[in-house]
Protein backbone atom coordinates (compact mmCIF):
# COMPACT_ATOMS: atom_id res chain seq x y z
CA UNK A 1 0.00 0.00 0.00
CA UNK A 2 1.30 3.44 -0.94
CA UNK A 3 0.99 6.05 1.84
CA UNK A 4 1.72 9.74 1.33
CA UNK A 5 1.79 12.18 4.23
CA UNK A 6 -0.09 15.35 3.28
CA UNK A 7 -0.15 17.15 6.62
CA UNK A 8 1.45 16.47 10.01
CA UNK A 9 1.72 18.14 13.36
CA UNK A 10 1.63 16.87 16.94
CA UNK A 11 -2.17 16.55 17.05
CA UNK A 12 -3.29 15.79 13.49
CA UNK A 13 -1.89 13.87 10.54
CA UNK A 14 -3.41 13.43 7.10
CA UNK A 15 -2.39 10.59 4.79
CA UNK A 16 -3.33 9.60 1.26
CA UNK A 17 -3.57 5.79 1.01
CA UNK A 18 -3.66 3.90 -2.27
CA UNK A 19 -4.08 0.14 -2.09
CA UNK A 20 -3.82 -2.26 -5.02
CA UNK A 21 -4.40 -5.47 -3.04
CA UNK A 22 -6.80 -8.01 -4.51
CA UNK A 23 -8.31 -11.39 -3.64
CA UNK A 24 -4.96 -13.15 -4.06
CA UNK A 25 -3.17 -11.01 -1.46
CA UNK A 26 -2.95 -12.22 2.12
CA UNK A 27 -4.46 -9.75 4.64
CA UNK A 28 -2.55 -8.84 7.79
CA UNK A 29 -3.47 -7.37 11.15
CA UNK A 30 -2.70 -3.71 11.87
CA UNK A 31 -3.50 -1.41 14.77
CA UNK A 32 -4.65 2.19 14.97
CA UNK A 33 -2.17 4.52 16.63
CA UNK A 34 -4.64 7.41 16.96
CA UNK A 35 -8.31 8.16 16.49
CA UNK A 36 -8.92 7.93 12.75
CA UNK A 37 -11.57 8.76 10.19
CA UNK A 38 -10.72 7.78 6.62
CA UNK A 39 -12.78 8.84 3.62
CA UNK A 40 -13.05 6.14 0.94
CA UNK A 41 -12.97 8.16 -2.24
CA UNK A 42 -12.56 5.26 -4.66
CA UNK A 43 -12.96 1.48 -4.79
CA UNK A 44 -14.04 -0.91 -2.06
CA UNK A 45 -12.65 -3.22 0.62
CA UNK A 46 -13.65 -5.19 3.69
CA UNK A 47 -12.55 -4.47 7.24
CA UNK A 48 -12.63 -6.91 10.16
CA UNK A 49 -12.55 -5.04 13.46
CA UNK A 50 -13.73 -5.84 16.99
CA UNK A 51 -15.31 -9.12 15.84
CA UNK A 52 -17.38 -7.59 13.05
CA UNK A 53 -17.02 -7.38 9.29
CA UNK A 54 -17.62 -4.11 7.48
CA UNK A 55 -17.94 -3.52 3.74
CA UNK A 56 -16.73 -0.11 2.61
CA UNK A 57 -17.45 1.46 -0.75
CA UNK A 58 -16.83 4.88 -2.26
CA UNK A 59 -18.31 7.44 0.12
CA UNK A 60 -17.96 5.25 3.24
CA UNK A 61 -15.74 6.14 6.19
CA UNK A 62 -13.43 3.81 8.07
CA UNK A 63 -13.06 4.60 11.78
CA UNK A 64 -10.28 3.86 14.22
CA UNK A 65 -9.72 3.91 17.98
CA UNK A 66 -6.19 4.04 19.46
CA UNK A 67 -4.89 0.53 20.10
CA UNK A 68 -7.72 -1.29 18.30
CA UNK A 69 -6.65 -3.92 15.78
CA UNK A 70 -8.17 -4.30 12.34
CA UNK A 71 -7.61 -6.27 9.15
CA UNK A 72 -8.49 -5.08 5.65
CA UNK A 73 -9.65 -7.76 3.23
CA UNK A 74 -10.15 -7.87 -0.52
CA UNK A 75 -11.73 -11.28 -1.04
CA UNK A 76 -14.37 -9.97 -3.44
CA UNK A 77 -13.10 -6.43 -4.01
CA UNK A 78 -10.97 -6.42 -7.12
CA UNK A 79 -10.68 -2.76 -8.11
CA UNK A 80 -8.37 -1.51 -5.34
CA UNK A 81 -9.17 1.44 -3.14
CA UNK A 82 -8.07 4.95 -2.25
CA UNK A 83 -8.61 6.72 1.09
CA UNK A 84 -7.93 10.09 2.66
CA UNK A 85 -7.20 9.40 6.33
CA UNK A 86 -7.32 11.90 9.19
CA UNK A 87 -5.47 10.63 12.27
CA UNK A 88 -6.20 12.54 15.45
CA UNK A 89 -4.24 12.56 18.70
CA UNK A 90 -6.25 11.71 21.87
CA UNK A 91 -5.82 15.19 23.34
CA UNK A 92 -7.31 16.79 20.21
CA UNK A 93 -10.11 14.20 20.02
CA UNK A 94 -11.11 15.06 23.59
CA UNK A 95 -11.55 18.72 22.67
CA UNK A 96 -13.94 17.79 19.86
CA UNK A 97 -16.48 16.42 22.31
CA UNK A 98 -18.63 13.32 22.14
CA UNK A 99 -18.07 9.87 23.60
CA UNK A 100 -15.20 7.62 22.60
CA UNK A 101 -17.50 4.76 21.59
CA UNK A 102 -18.49 6.06 18.13
CA UNK A 103 -14.82 5.88 17.11
CA UNK A 104 -14.92 2.11 17.76
CA UNK A 105 -17.79 1.53 15.31
CA UNK A 106 -15.46 0.38 12.53
CA UNK A 107 -17.21 2.21 9.71
CA UNK A 108 -19.87 4.72 8.75
CA UNK A 109 -22.02 4.29 5.62
CA UNK A 110 -22.09 7.01 2.96
CA UNK A 111 -23.98 9.85 4.65
CA UNK A 112 -24.83 12.95 2.65
CA UNK A 113 -23.71 15.26 5.46
CA UNK A 114 -20.26 13.65 5.49
CA UNK A 115 -19.52 12.87 1.84
CA UNK A 116 -19.60 16.55 0.83
CA UNK A 117 -17.02 17.29 3.54
CA UNK A 118 -15.02 14.30 2.32
CA UNK A 119 -14.90 15.81 -1.15
CA UNK A 120 -13.99 19.24 0.24
CA UNK A 121 -11.11 17.54 2.06
CA UNK A 122 -10.06 15.85 -1.18
CA UNK A 123 -10.12 19.18 -3.02
CA UNK A 124 -7.88 20.64 -0.29
CA UNK A 125 -5.54 17.65 -0.54
CA UNK A 126 -5.19 18.14 -4.30
CA UNK A 127 -4.62 21.89 -4.02
CA UNK A 128 -7.98 22.72 -5.60
CA UNK A 129 -9.16 24.52 -2.47
CA UNK A 130 -7.67 27.13 -0.19
CA UNK A 131 -9.22 25.47 2.88
CA UNK A 132 -6.61 23.95 5.19
CA UNK A 133 -6.56 20.16 5.55
CA UNK A 134 -6.50 20.56 9.33
CA UNK A 135 -9.58 22.79 9.19
CA UNK A 136 -11.68 20.46 7.08
CA UNK A 137 -10.43 17.42 9.01
CA UNK A 138 -11.65 18.87 12.29
CA UNK A 139 -14.94 19.87 10.66
CA UNK A 140 -15.39 16.31 9.40
CA UNK A 141 -14.64 14.76 12.81
CA UNK A 142 -17.03 17.10 14.63
CA UNK A 143 -19.81 16.44 12.13
CA UNK A 144 -19.28 12.69 12.42
CA UNK A 145 -19.53 12.81 16.21
CA UNK A 146 -22.75 14.82 16.06
CA UNK A 147 -24.34 12.44 13.56
CA UNK A 148 -23.16 9.17 15.01
CA UNK A 149 -23.53 9.73 18.74
CA UNK A 150 -25.51 6.86 20.23
CA UNK A 151 -25.92 4.88 16.99
CA UNK A 152 -24.81 1.26 16.75
CA UNK A 153 -23.29 -0.13 13.54
CA UNK A 154 -24.76 -3.14 11.84
CA UNK A 155 -22.82 -5.94 10.20
CA UNK A 156 -23.96 -8.52 7.68
CA UNK A 157 -22.21 -11.56 6.30
CA UNK A 158 -23.08 -14.01 3.54
CA UNK A 159 -22.85 -14.42 -0.20
CA UNK A 160 -25.01 -11.34 -0.85
CA UNK A 161 -22.28 -9.04 0.49
CA UNK A 162 -20.41 -9.30 -2.78
CA UNK A 163 -23.52 -8.39 -4.77
CA UNK A 164 -24.20 -5.34 -2.62
CA UNK A 165 -20.63 -4.04 -2.89
CA UNK A 166 -20.45 -4.65 -6.65
CA UNK A 167 -23.83 -2.94 -7.05
CA UNK A 168 -22.59 0.11 -5.13
CA UNK A 169 -19.59 0.32 -7.46
CA UNK A 170 -21.93 0.07 -10.45
CA UNK A 171 -24.19 2.78 -9.04
CA UNK A 172 -21.24 5.08 -8.40
CA UNK A 173 -19.95 4.61 -11.94
CA UNK A 174 -23.42 5.24 -13.46
CA UNK A 175 -24.68 7.85 -11.00
CA UNK A 176 -24.73 10.52 -13.71
CA UNK A 177 -27.30 8.45 -15.65
CA UNK A 178 -31.02 7.87 -14.97
CA UNK A 179 -31.23 4.80 -12.71
CA UNK A 180 -34.29 3.03 -11.34
CA UNK A 181 -34.60 0.30 -8.71
CA UNK A 182 -35.78 -2.42 -11.11
CA UNK A 183 -32.88 -1.85 -13.50
CA UNK A 184 -30.19 -1.85 -10.82
CA UNK A 185 -31.71 -4.92 -9.12
CA UNK A 186 -31.62 -6.73 -12.45
CA UNK A 187 -27.96 -5.72 -12.83
CA UNK A 188 -27.31 -7.33 -9.43
CA UNK A 189 -29.26 -10.46 -10.35
CA UNK A 190 -31.87 -10.04 -7.60
CA UNK A 191 -35.54 -9.21 -7.35
CA UNK A 192 -36.18 -5.54 -6.48
CA UNK A 193 -37.45 -6.42 -2.99
CA UNK A 194 -34.54 -8.73 -2.12
CA UNK A 195 -32.03 -6.31 -3.65
CA UNK A 196 -33.34 -3.42 -1.58
CA UNK A 197 -33.20 -5.47 1.62
CA UNK A 198 -29.70 -6.85 1.00
CA UNK A 199 -28.17 -3.55 -0.12
CA UNK A 200 -29.60 -1.68 2.89
CA UNK A 201 -28.48 -4.30 5.41
CA UNK A 202 -24.95 -4.61 4.03
CA UNK A 203 -24.13 -0.95 3.39
CA UNK A 204 -26.39 0.89 5.83
CA UNK A 205 -28.14 3.01 3.19
CA UNK A 206 -30.74 2.30 0.51
CA UNK A 207 -29.70 2.14 -3.16
CA UNK A 208 -31.44 5.45 -3.83
CA UNK A 209 -29.69 7.11 -0.90
CA UNK A 210 -26.35 5.83 -2.15
CA UNK A 211 -27.12 7.04 -5.68
CA UNK A 212 -27.98 10.55 -4.47
CA UNK A 213 -24.92 10.66 -2.22
CA UNK A 214 -22.71 9.54 -5.10
CA UNK A 215 -24.08 12.44 -7.11
CA UNK A 216 -23.40 14.78 -4.20
CA UNK A 217 -19.84 13.49 -3.87
CA UNK A 218 -19.16 14.07 -7.55
CA UNK A 219 -20.83 17.49 -7.39
CA UNK A 220 -18.71 18.56 -4.41
CA UNK A 221 -15.63 17.49 -6.34
CA UNK A 222 -16.64 19.51 -9.41
CA UNK A 223 -17.63 22.62 -7.46
CA UNK A 224 -13.96 23.30 -6.77
CA UNK A 225 -13.58 23.81 -10.54
CA UNK A 226 -13.77 27.53 -11.29
CA UNK A 227 -14.62 27.04 -14.94
CA UNK A 228 -17.77 24.95 -14.60
CA UNK A 229 -21.11 26.61 -13.88
CA UNK A 230 -23.31 25.31 -11.06
CA UNK A 231 -25.99 24.39 -13.59
CA UNK A 232 -23.48 22.34 -15.57
CA UNK A 233 -22.32 20.62 -12.38
CA UNK A 234 -25.91 19.69 -11.50
CA UNK A 235 -26.63 18.22 -14.92
CA UNK A 236 -23.25 16.51 -15.28
CA UNK A 237 -23.63 14.52 -12.03
CA UNK A 238 -27.16 13.35 -12.80
CA UNK A 239 -29.63 15.82 -11.31
CA UNK A 240 -32.53 16.49 -13.65
CA UNK A 241 -32.89 20.15 -12.77
CA UNK A 242 -30.99 22.88 -10.96
CA UNK A 243 -33.55 23.56 -8.23
CA UNK A 244 -33.56 19.94 -7.07
CA UNK A 245 -29.75 19.91 -7.00
CA UNK A 246 -29.55 23.15 -4.99
CA UNK A 247 -32.16 21.96 -2.50
CA UNK A 248 -30.56 18.52 -2.06
CA UNK A 249 -27.04 19.87 -1.78
CA UNK A 250 -28.05 22.54 0.73
CA UNK A 251 -29.82 19.95 2.87
CA UNK A 252 -26.67 17.80 2.89
CA UNK A 253 -23.96 20.42 3.25
CA UNK A 254 -25.84 23.07 5.18
CA UNK A 255 -24.78 25.63 2.58
CA UNK A 256 -25.73 26.26 -1.04
CA UNK A 257 -23.54 24.99 -3.89
CA UNK A 258 -22.37 28.57 -4.37
CA UNK A 259 -21.53 28.83 -0.67
CA UNK A 260 -19.68 25.50 -0.83
CA UNK A 261 -17.68 26.77 -3.79
CA UNK A 262 -16.75 29.85 -1.76
CA UNK A 263 -15.67 27.59 1.10
CA UNK A 264 -13.54 25.53 -1.28
CA UNK A 265 -11.83 28.75 -2.34
CA UNK A 266 -10.93 29.64 1.22
CA UNK A 267 -13.93 31.43 2.75
CA UNK A 268 -13.47 30.10 6.29
CA UNK A 269 -16.56 31.92 7.51
CA UNK A 270 -18.67 29.32 5.68
CA UNK A 271 -17.12 26.44 7.64
CA UNK A 272 -17.31 28.35 10.92
CA UNK A 273 -21.00 29.05 10.44
CA UNK A 274 -21.66 25.41 9.51
CA UNK A 275 -19.95 24.13 12.67
CA UNK A 276 -21.91 26.56 14.81
CA UNK A 277 -25.26 25.59 13.27
CA UNK A 278 -27.55 23.27 15.26
CA UNK A 279 -28.05 19.69 13.97
Amino acid sequence: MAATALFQNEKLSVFDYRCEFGPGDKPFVESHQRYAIAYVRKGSFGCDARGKTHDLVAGSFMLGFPGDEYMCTHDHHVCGDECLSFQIAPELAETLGGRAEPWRAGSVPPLAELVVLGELAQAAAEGRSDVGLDEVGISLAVRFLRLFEGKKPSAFTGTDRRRAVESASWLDAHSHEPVDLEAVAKEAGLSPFHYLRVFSRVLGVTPHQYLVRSRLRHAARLLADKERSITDVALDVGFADLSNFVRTFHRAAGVSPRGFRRAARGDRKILQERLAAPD
Side-chain angles (χ1 to χ4, degrees), residues 119-164:
E119 285 301 328
L120 179 59
Q122 188 58 41
E126 294 174 359
R128 296 183 290 111
S129 169
D130 293 330
V131 175
L133 270 175
D134 52 345
E135 294 174 326
V136 71
I138 290 172
S139 299
L140 178 61
V142 170
R143 191 64 186 156
F144 151 67
L145 288 169
R146 288 183 181 179
L147 288 171
F148 208 69
E149 191 71 33
K151 294 183 180 179
K152 296 184 180 293
S154 60
F156 181 79
T157 59
T159 57
D160 284 336
R161 282 176 49 212
R162 174 181 55 81
R163 289 179 173 177

Side-chain angles (χ1 to χ4, degrees), residues 201-215:
R201 289 183 63 189
V202 172
L203 299 179
V205 291
T206 68
H208 180 72
Q209 288 172 326
Y210 186 75
L211 175 65
V212 171
R213 291 163 194 183
S214 290
R215 289 170 175 168

Side-chain angles (χ1 to χ4, degrees), residues 213-270:
R213 291 163 194 183
S214 290
R215 289 170 175 168
L216 289 173
R217 284 194 307 107
H218 297 309
R221 189 175 305 166
L222 293 176
L223 284 170
D225 185 349
K226 299 177 182 179
E227 304 302 322
R228 199 174 309 221
S229 72
I230 291 175
T231 299
D232 286 344
V233 169
L235 297 177
D236 288 349
V237 300
F239 284 90
D241 63 81
L242 179 61
S243 61
N244 183 35
F245 168 63
V246 171
R247 183 169 57 252
T248 304
F249 192 94
H250 193 288
R251 186 166 57 246
V255 295
S256 67
R258 193 176 305 279
F260 186 86
R261 172 169 277 174
R262 286 169 48 203
R265 295 179 185 178
D267 188 341
R268 286 158 176 80
K269 184 179 179 182
I270 299 291

Side-chain angles (χ1 to χ4, degrees), residues 33-113:
Q33 303 303 309
R34 292 179 162 192
Y35 293 89
I37 180 167
Y39 175 54
V40 184
R41 67 170 179 267
K42 182 180 179 181
S44 63
F45 61 96
C47 177
D48 294 341
R50 298 178 61 80
K52 295 183 178 180
T53 298
H54 307 266
D55 290 284
L56 294 99
V57 294
S60 300
F61 291 82
M62 180 178 173
L63 302 171
F65 186 87
D68 276 4
E69 294 185 339
Y70 66 97
M71 182 172 66
C72 292
T73 62
H74 302 80
D75 53 342
H76 54 254
H77 310 273
V78 296
C79 58
D81 58 88
E82 297 179 6
C83 299
L84 187 64
S85 176
F86 294 85
Q87 302 178 14
I88 303 167
E91 55 268 30
L92 175 57
E94 290 177 6
T95 69
L96 302 181
R99 298 181 298 110
E101 194 60 29
W103 293 100
R104 310 188 87 158
S107 69
V108 175
L111 300 177
E113 300 91 331

Side-chain angles (χ1 to χ4, degrees), residues 18-46:
R18 301 184 183 219
C19 177
E20 297 182 355
F21 283 12
D25 295 296
K26 184 177 180 180
F28 52 90
V29 176
E30 302 176 79
S31 64
H32 294 287
Q33 303 303 309
R34 292 179 162 192
Y35 293 89
I37 180 167
Y39 175 54
V40 184
R41 67 170 179 267
K42 182 180 179 181
S44 63
F45 61 96

